[in-house]
Amino acid sequence: MAYEVAAKAAVGAPDVLGDCPFSQRVLLTLEEKKVPHKVHLINISEKPQWFLEVNPEGKVPVVKFDDKWVSDSDVLVGILEEKHPEPSFTPPPEFASVGSKIFGAFVKFLKSKDPSDGSEQALLDELKALDEHLKAHGPYIAGEKITSVDLSLAPKLYHLDVALGHFKKWTVPASLTHFHKYKEFLFSRESFQKTKPTKEHVIAGWEPKVNA
């Protein structure tokens, strides 16, 4: 039986998968574990009645497990790992938080209006730390096998690429070669190609936040 998943629809295109990195993380996990699922696309600005009835907080992503809709991508990935342990995506505990500060640093730099506030350097420091980790342990975070840490980072790195390239004309320094190789590995996976939003929808999703 296929799981039902509610994920964000694209802004202005209710029939197209949207730009939510947390929704994509859950879909990547389902794809990589080859677990059958059916996606409901949710228009965030006009949430359907049935969706609010089963999920009053109106958050995405949510997945239906045993007649109950569950939210929070961390929780969802944990449940999927429990119910579908093969292939295992559990990372070694010491690698579980690798790269976890990148998304916050990216958002801060993206929204920054002050070039001297240190937000660019803070992001670079996080990216350099990831590059160093991959140099020692790559090609993925925990070596040869992909884990839930990679599937969490992949959508966030895509947003970083697209949004900083568009709004700040900024790219990750070419000197971080292990990082770039890692990104290529992730973005070229079939699961990623199937679940990624278009660049236009990523830009449209960040537009109001950047210009706030």
Side-chain angles (χ1 to χ4, degrees):
M1 200 185 86
Y3 288 114
E4 292 186 62
V5 185
K8 181 184 175 184
V11 176
D15 300 331
V16 179
L17 186 64
D19 61 309
C20 167
F22 306 101
S23 293
Q24 192 189 0
R25 175 194 182 191
V26 171
L27 293 172
L28 279 172
T29 306
L30 288 160
E31 288 287 344
E32 289 282 350
K33 284 188 177 285
K34 308 240 181 299
V35 175
H37 55 283
K38 176 189 174 204
V39 180
H40 300 280
L41 294 175
I42 304 298
N43 180 346
I44 295 298
S45 53
E46 282 179 49
K47 291 170 187 162
Q49 192 55 40
W50 73 264
F51 176 69
L52 291 171
E53 280 168 15
V54 298
N55 177 28
E57 284 188 354
K59 286 182 179 167
V60 287
V62 287
V63 179
K64 192 178 186 180
F65 293 112
D66 308 321
D67 288 335
K68 186 173 179 247
W69 288 88
V70 182
S71 64
D72 188 317
S73 62
D74 283 338
V75 173
L76 295 173
V77 166
I79 294 173
L80 288 169
E81 191 62 43
E82 218 170 87
K83 287 180 177 282
H84 304 276
E86 292 299 325
S88 169
F89 293 154
T90 305
E94 66 273 23
F95 294 163
S97 61
V98 170
S100 61
K101 293 182 182 159
I102 289 175
F103 194 64
F106 144 66
V107 174
K108 197 167 181 190
F109 175 46
L110 179 65
K111 291 179 171 181
S112 166
K113 306 273 192 280
D114 176 6
S116 62
D117 66 1
S119 60
E120 180 180 5
Q121 190 55 49
L123 175 60
L124 279 170
D125 290 347
E126 292 299 332
L127 294 171
K128 278 178 188 159
L130 177 58
D131 189 73
E132 287 295 322
H133 175 90
L134 292 165
K135 184 180 177 182
H137 302 285
Y140 293 106
I141 295 291
E144 294 295 328
K145 277 177 64 186
I146 201 160
T147 66
S148 58
V149 182
D150 303 296
L151 299 180
S152 174
L153 269 175
K156 295 169 181 173
L157 298 180
Y158 181 67
H159 276 247
L160 182 153
D161 250 18
V162 174
L164 289 177
H166 178 79
F167 293 105
K168 288 200 180 282
K169 306 289 177 265
W170 190 93
T171 51
V172 176
S175 57
L176 301 183
T177 52
H178 301 279
F179 170 83
H180 284 287
K181 205 173 282 176
Y182 173 62
K183 211 177 63 181
E184 275 170 39
F185 280 141
L186 292 175
F187 293 178
S188 63
R189 288 183 83 90
E190 190 190 346
S191 61
F192 193 87
Q193 290 299 319
K194 278 174 84 171
T195 58
K196 70 172 184 177
T198 66
K199 290 184 176 180
E200 293 71 24
H201 290 135
V202 171
I203 291 163
W206 284 106
E207 191 102 45
K209 300 180 183 90
V210 173
N211 298 321

